[in-house]
Amino acid sequence: MELTHLAAPPDAMLERAVRTGPGELLWLGAEPFEVRCEPARATGLLKIVAVAEGEGVIAQGGRRTLLREGMFAWVQSDAPFELSMSRGRRLLLRLPVSVVQQRHPGVDLRTAVARGEEHAGERVVAGLLRQILREGSSLSERDCAAAVGVVLEAIGMCGRAPELSRTRVERALAEIELRLGDPALQPADIARAQGVSRRYLDGAMAEQLGSSLAAHIRRRRLERAASELATRQDDAVFEIAARWGFRDTSHFTRLFRGHFATTPAAYRRAAQERPGDARPGALRPRQGIGMTKVVTEKAGAVTTKR
């Protein structure tokens, strides 16, 4: 196999792509492929990978599963994953994890778990995905919108999330809030306090919150820094950044802009001009589906094996 560096998914990998409503349907080409993805930015997307012909292997969050014909699995876009597929027919459905969680709280969203055989509700979802895949080009954009809506509703028939993972995540979140003021705090410290491996806790966080442990800590630090930019006008930006664990001011500025779509200096100016509107959260983090890559994303580049 040959490594190819691309800025977008290769045309040969996609037969059709339709963005509609909250989601996006992608019919993948029949050629075999292997993907290793290390996301460069958070997208908040949850992906369903469905196989109608052939088979594949998905690895994420410390789990690895074989997908046979008629099966599907969840993949979290904001955490590293590996995906390899033999020759065959497969469908990719992207949905915002927030939409799925709000519509169906408690549904089992563990990634890299083969579904569609044992659980009755998941067999129904698998059947819908197979039918959408088979109809392919015969579906209009209006049909695709309806199909995404049907699948989104049917996800509520899937199994429920394990309570133990949810409890551990809740405890981890509480621990993070208690220790967020420690600039030296690391994700491994939180996992150690919960008595589990970082890989396990990363997987549980990704399934239930749509972000890794490190991404959640980074987001909360950025939000705390934003609060101080608005309320502690005498402190320099680099002082606030360092207080919340960002030793490199330029790196802090890039992360801040990626999260709030503005620079720390502009955020502070907004707070000075409109004190009532420049509260943390008044400038919302960037959201939206966007075209995330089906292939490797790292530092703005894409790597795929074909």
Side-chain angles (χ1 to χ4, degrees):
M1 290 186 179
E2 177 182 15
L3 281 178
T4 308
H5 296 275
L6 302 163
D11 292 340
M13 207 170 184
L14 288 174
E15 291 183 349
R16 187 185 183 196
V18 178
R19 183 184 294 183
T20 175
E24 185 174 17
L25 284 167
L26 299 100
W27 285 261
L28 304 185
E31 292 300 312
F33 66 85
E34 182 177 344
V35 166
R36 291 181 181 175
C37 180
E38 296 181 16
R41 62 185 178 87
T43 62
L45 292 176
L46 199 58
K47 306 172 185 176
I48 298 179
V49 180
V51 178
E53 295 175 4
E55 61 182 26
V57 175
I58 296 179
Q60 187 173 53
R63 287 184 294 275
R64 191 177 191 87
T65 191
L66 173 66
L67 286 183
R68 296 187 295 272
E69 292 185 6
M71 302 176 74
F72 73 93
W74 295 107
V75 175
Q76 172 54 244
S77 65
D78 293 344
F81 68 87
E82 296 181 9
L83 172 62
S84 60
M85 289 286 174
S86 66
R87 180 179 295 274
R89 303 181 65 194
R90 46 271 170 142
L91 179 75
L92 183 68
L93 170 57
R94 295 172 174 159
L95 292 167
V97 65
S98 59
V99 170
V100 177
Q101 290 175 330
Q102 289 169 10
R103 188 73 59 88
H104 306 296
V107 164
D108 183 2
L109 299 181
R110 285 176 300 161
T111 58
V113 174
R115 306 176 188 279
E117 287 190 339
E118 297 180 2
H119 189 279
E122 292 173 357
R123 287 198 296 271
V124 172
V125 173
L128 289 169
L129 294 169
R130 283 198 306 273
Q131 195 61 34
I132 294 170
L133 198 160
R134 287 169 181 162
E135 294 300 328
S137 59
S138 65
L139 297 176
S140 67
E141 290 196 8
R142 182 177 177 180
D143 294 334
C144 291
V148 170
V150 169
V151 173
L152 181 56
E153 290 304 319
I155 288 170
M157 302 172 66
C158 294
R160 313 307 288 175
E163 290 299 323
L164 182 58
S165 293
R166 184 178 294 113
T167 299
R168 281 177 172 160
V169 167
E170 289 172 353
R171 290 176 179 171
L173 294 178
E175 184 78 13
I176 289 170
E177 293 304 310
L178 284 173
R179 302 174 62 181
L180 201 58
D182 178 5
L185 177 65
Q186 296 296 319
D189 300 330
I190 301 299
R192 194 177 303 114
Q194 304 306 310
V196 297
S197 70
R198 178 180 171 181
R199 175 177 289 186
Y200 171 88
L201 196 52
D202 264 334
M205 293 277 291
E207 292 156 10
Q208 296 180 38
L209 300 180
S211 68
S212 67
L213 188 57
H216 181 79
I217 293 173
R218 183 169 57 249
R219 178 178 66 81
R220 292 294 297 126
R221 281 175 165 166
L222 287 169
E223 290 170 350
R224 292 288 187 90
S227 176
E228 292 195 358
L229 285 168
T231 59
R232 303 183 65 159
Q233 300 285 345
D234 293 335
D235 289 358
V237 170
F238 77 87
E239 292 176 322
I240 293 173
R243 190 153 52 237
W244 293 105
F246 302 102
R247 295 183 178 87
D248 185 327
T249 306
S250 61
H251 179 59
F252 168 69
T253 299
R254 286 195 298 271
L255 291 175
F256 194 95
R257 179 182 292 167
H259 190 67
F260 289 103
T262 189
T263 65
Y267 190 99
R268 169 167 275 178
R269 284 195 297 271
Q272 292 173 328
E273 295 167 3
R274 297 183 300 276
D277 294 333
R279 302 178 309 277
L283 290 176
R284 298 294 181 185
R286 284 177 172 169
Q287 295 179 347
I289 295 175
M291 264 296 282
T292 55
K293 307 297 185 288
V294 186
V295 291
T296 304
E297 292 186 349
K298 193 170 185 179
V302 180
T303 303
T304 183
K305 287 185 178 181
R306 296 185 57 200

